[in-house]
Amino acid sequence: MLTSGMSWMLEIEHLVTGYGGVPVLHDVSLKLGAGELVGLLGANNAGKTTLINNLSGIFTPMSGRILFEGQDVTRLTARQRVELGIVQVPEGRMVFPEMSVRENLLLGGINQRAKPHRAQQMEHVLELFPRLRERLGQKAGTLSGGEQQMLAIGRALMAEARLLMLDEPSLGLSPLFVQYIFGIIDRLHKEGLTILLVEQNLNLTLRHAQRCYVLERGRIAVEGSSDVVKNDPRTRSAYLGL
Ligand code: ATP
């Protein structure tokens, strides 16, 4: 929970959302303090991606509110939310395969807030990911999965994310790359970035996040510090669908 001096950066209140009028998330409430690293866990189809897509503005909720630093952003477009610093790293990376690494990064920093600092941000990203520096002129589609994940995170940093939302960053990566990417996530957190980490990988997320929420079939089944969530029997049952 919040320690003194910290304020809520993100507040989701009673969110109901779905597809074609059929709810997939039912009355979901969640909060994220400035500077926190919070995990959103859940089995396949629990609704994690649906939630993140509503936060980034790809979808609009049926009811409920999303507040960012106290401002109601529920009806803002995805572009307006990026301008505020709400930035998503999508599941499956979604880099532009025919564009070079450099072009992908520069595109990330195209919003009005970030554009004036693109050169500086690029240096930060390339310092974080030396591999991307070596591959700046290479087409993004020729990168390995792990390198594409670096690029997707780098692109979000180029957008000057203030709330970074990562959708399943471990998906399809070798254990070595997973370890590396989670080291980067820890570093970004230490640098003060607020991070919502959406993951299916329970143990990995519990190790890195301070607090976690567990989604089960569109509802928050468990929430609390990672220790509390780890020891709550409902966490395992949410995964096993019991
Ligand atoms: P995964 O880990 O498999 O990505 P998830 O927890 O992110 O799962 P969602 O992708 O949010 O879950 O899916 C939640 C529910 O919404 C599922 O029942 C899914 O079939 C449904 N769903 C997701 N996207 C759509 C869509 N575009 N149209 C209709 N139903 C959808």
Side-chain angles (χ1 to χ4, degrees):
M1 273 295 137
L2 283 187
T3 51
S4 65
M6 205 196 270
S7 56
W8 295 122
M9 179 175 254
L10 178 74
E11 294 165 88
I12 303 175
E13 296 175 344
H14 307 293
L15 195 86
V16 178
T17 188
Y19 304 94
V22 181
V24 161
L25 295 181
H26 315 271
D27 195 20
V28 168
S29 295
L30 178 157
K31 288 181 177 185
L32 212 72
E36 273 196 304
L37 169 48
V38 170
L40 177 65
L41 290 157
N44 247 329
N45 289 336
K48 305 180 297 299
T49 300
T50 300
L51 181 61
I52 224 176
N53 284 343
N54 275 269
L55 294 178
S56 61
I58 294 172
F59 295 121
T60 308
M62 293 155 76
S63 63
R65 288 204 308 172
I66 302 166
L67 303 179
F68 183 70
E69 296 181 325
Q71 179 188 348
D72 190 337
V73 299
T74 321
R75 308 280 149 194
L76 294 190
T77 63
R79 199 167 158 180
Q80 288 170 320
R81 296 188 209 197
V82 170
E83 286 294 347
L84 292 175
I86 305 172
V87 182
Q88 175 179 14
V89 177
E91 186 175 341
R93 285 60 104 169
M94 305 297 174
V95 298
F96 299 106
E98 291 300 320
M99 289 184 169
S100 69
V101 168
R102 185 198 304 278
E103 287 164 340
N104 268 274
L105 289 174
L106 287 174
L107 260 184
I110 209 158
N111 73 73
Q112 283 176 25
R113 195 172 38 84
K115 206 169 179 181
H117 323 120
R118 279 204 295 187
Q120 201 181 324
Q121 277 300 341
M122 176 82 95
E123 220 14 74
H124 178 226
V125 168
L126 297 179
E127 189 251 320
L128 267 181
F129 300 114
R131 271 223 208 191
L132 295 184
R133 193 191 293 279
E134 292 164 18
R135 288 160 171 68
L136 272 175
Q138 203 170 313
K139 276 190 181 176
T142 65
L143 300 178
S144 72
E147 290 165 349
Q148 288 190 17
Q149 186 60 261
M150 294 179 198
L151 180 55
I153 295 174
R155 191 175 53 183
L157 296 177
M158 289 294 292
E160 299 206 329
R162 301 183 51 234
L163 167 61
L164 182 69
M165 302 185 295
L166 297 156
D167 196 353
E168 305 241 14
S170 77
L171 200 71
L173 301 189
S174 68
L176 212 63
F177 262 125
V178 170
Q179 213 179 1
Y180 177 77
I181 291 294
F182 273 73
I184 295 287
I185 294 170
D186 281 343
R187 177 167 163 192
L188 293 171
H189 174 224
K190 284 202 186 86
E191 288 177 4
L193 193 59
T194 309
I195 301 174
L196 180 62
L197 174 60
V198 172
E199 263 293 341
Q200 226 180 101
N201 190 322
L202 182 63
N203 292 327
L204 186 66
T205 306
L206 288 170
R207 272 205 304 277
H208 290 265
Q210 300 166 294
R211 290 195 297 123
C212 286
Y213 292 83
V214 183
L215 258 184
E216 183 182 16
R217 276 170 277 152
R219 295 176 203 279
I220 303 283
V222 192
E223 63 179 275
S225 71
S226 293
D227 270 349
V228 166
V229 169
K230 185 178 177 179
N231 295 315
D232 192 317
R234 289 172 302 171
T235 301
R236 309 276 157 187
S237 65
Y239 267 78
L240 297 171
L242 298 174

